[in-house]
Amino acid sequence: MPRLSLLVAVARNGVIGNRGELPWRLSADLKRFKQLTLGQTVLMGRKTYESIVAALGKPLPGRVSLVLSRQAEPVSVEATLPSVAIDGAGQVLLVRDVAAALSLAREQSELFVVGGGEIYALTLPQADRLYWTWVEAEPAGDTSFPRVEWNEWKLQQETRYTADARNQYDTTFAIYERAPT
């Protein structure tokens, strides 16, 4: 099975979204997202998928997007993920649960969970790694990240960035691994 990794930007007040959009402008975080996920498989909820398509006019290019939806027709767990060229169009498969997504991604080294709030809450207990962007702000928002038991996580790496013309707030990129029990 692949490593289950959550990739998220979180404000200091826990906010991750507002009305289907990110509540900030952070070019460095978008670059990090692309660098980590290009050519990979990502898992997201239906609302997140719809907001990406609304913003880009298409699914995430160069990735396999597994869209978790209770309304979806499930994809057979016997299916094989399509290979995605780095510059190719994004592939989209609908799945009904996390187990099906993990089974589909079984040949991958890592499955990236990219939102939204309900999907993070569902997958956090199973996650092995957090790619976390701390956003030094407290914006208004209608979607928050679920409560994290930080004693269960060990910081592996962090890099701080200051706000500039392309990045609205100071940020810290961090990688956490689940601590051994």
Side-chain angles (χ1 to χ4, degrees):
M1 283 293 166
R3 169 185 299 150
L4 187 61
S5 299
L6 279 54
L7 177 55
V8 66
V10 183
R12 286 295 177 179
N13 61 356
V15 167
I16 61 172
N18 192 29
R19 297 186 180 142
E21 295 182 1
L22 296 173
W24 44 69
R25 189 180 31 78
L26 298 171
S27 177
D29 187 57
L30 294 175
K31 276 186 188 172
R32 181 182 192 223
F33 180 93
K34 184 176 181 179
Q35 174 195 8
L36 288 168
T37 64
L38 198 60
Q40 303 295 322
T41 302
V42 296
L43 173 64
M44 67 189 77
R46 177 190 50 80
K47 292 178 198 172
T48 298
Y49 172 73
E50 289 172 354
S51 71
I52 288 169
V53 171
L56 299 178
K58 60 185 176 186
L60 288 170
R63 299 156 187 94
V64 174
S65 294
L66 302 179
V67 179
L68 181 59
S69 173
R70 290 180 291 269
Q71 302 166 352
E73 284 299 316
V75 175
S76 164
V77 294
E78 301 304 316
T80 303
L81 287 177
S83 61
V84 176
I86 287 182
D87 60 351
Q91 301 282 332
V92 179
L93 297 172
L94 301 176
V95 294
R96 195 161 293 184
D97 56 39
V98 175
L102 285 166
S103 182
L104 279 168
R106 65 188 170 274
E107 302 297 322
Q108 311 295 309
S109 62
E110 198 162 18
L111 174 61
F112 290 90
V113 178
V114 298
E118 290 180 38
I119 305 305
Y120 287 131
L122 190 62
T123 56
L124 181 60
Q126 303 168 60
D128 304 301
R129 179 178 283 170
L130 303 175
Y131 292 95
W132 195 277
T133 300
W134 289 106
V135 180
E136 298 300 331
E138 295 197 11
D142 57 14
T143 307
S144 295
F145 197 84
R147 186 168 168 264
V148 176
E149 296 293 339
W150 287 108
N151 62 329
E152 296 177 6
W153 298 92
K154 183 169 173 28
L155 179 65
Q156 300 296 309
Q157 178 183 341
E158 74 177 359
T159 308
R160 291 187 168 89
Y161 295 91
T162 55
D164 60 25
R166 300 193 59 176
N167 296 281
Q168 188 175 4
Y169 301 111
D170 291 347
T171 56
T172 302
F173 294 161
I175 300 173
Y176 297 92
E177 297 279 344
R178 188 170 296 278
T181 55

